[in-house]
Amino acid sequence: DTGVSQNPRHKITKRGQNVTFRCDPISEHNRLYWYRQTLGQGPEFLTYFQNEAQLEKSRLLSDRFSAERPKGSFSTLEIQRTEQGDSAMYLCASSLPSGGFPGELFFGEGSRLTVL
Amino acid sequence: EDQVTQSPEALRLQEGESSSLNCSYTVSGLRGLFWYRQDPGKGPEFLFTLYSAGEEKEKERLKATLTKKESFLHITAPKPEDSATYLCAVQANDYKLSFGAGTTVTVRA
């Protein structure tokens, strides 16, 4: 399978614990995005990488959230001291260089987080 | 700030009963309008990109159109496998999509 891969698919944790999600993009895609989706809502932009550089972070990303993309390959999204409000589906997407024009985003199947 | 509003929230159709979904948007400098399909528990799947008013694109039973203020997704003679949530998104810069809340379509056989 050559699509975007996310792990784990489901994570249940207790409030206050740290969690980490991993995303493996499509190999030739140099752009990587994280979005968050809650029930009944559309995905909300969290952050964006071009190669290994994190170029944009949403105001939704509090100091408890950190994302990395070492060597411009896979990416991790860590949430520290989780809160119940962090419960959501975390979606990763990748795309080809757009040359200044919008590109098609390929989404993974998401990592669902439940904070008890 | 970009705003995307989709209507209706939910749509129940009989197989073969054509209908349209609406996506109205407010964005400064639209660079692209996207339609995605999302099945339960899965990530969104790309359907169309529209770049300018008057543009239309088709894929099987789906047709997307764009005006300066809204986009429509027409579903012609739907089948049960067309049941999904359809998401509309706008792109105003080089990287960020702003999504609407989606329209959940259920097609009964």
Side-chain angles (χ1 to χ4, degrees), chain A residues 76-95:
Chain A
T76 58
L77 177 68
E78 181 184 16
I79 309 174
Q80 296 182 327
R81 304 182 303 282
T82 52
E83 302 173 354
Q84 288 184 325
D86 298 331
S87 295
M89 174 80 87
Y90 290 85
L91 293 163
C92 176
S94 68
S95 70

Side-chain angles (χ1 to χ4, degrees), chain B residues 9-27:
Chain B
E9 290 184 11
L11 191 59
R12 293 177 64 85
L13 301 172
Q14 200 67 34
E15 184 172 5
E17 178 188 1
S18 301
S19 188
S20 295
L21 285 54
N22 178 266
C23 170
S24 61
Y25 62 90
T26 303
V27 62

Side-chain angles (χ1 to χ4, degrees), chain A residues 9 31 33 35 37 40-43 45 48 56 59 89 91 98 100-105 107-110, chain B residues 1 31-32 34 36 38 41-46 49 51 87 91 93-102:
Chain A
R9 292 292 315 281
R31 293 179 166 215
Y33 314 78
Y35 282 77
Q37 186 176 26
Q41 299 300 314
F45 172 81
Y48 155 62
E56 183 70 21
R59 289 168 294 178
M89 174 80 87
L91 293 163
S98 71
F101 291 91
E104 173 186 343
L105 263 60
F107 282 88
E109 297 205 328
Chain B
E1 189 170 320
R31 302 187 73 181
F34 295 73
Y36 282 82
Q38 187 172 27
K42 301 288 183 67
E45 177 186 348
F46 172 79
T49 308
Y51 293 104
L87 296 164
Q91 187 156 4
N93 60 24
D94 194 33
Y95 56 84
K96 175 185 172 184
L97 292 185
S98 297
F99 283 86

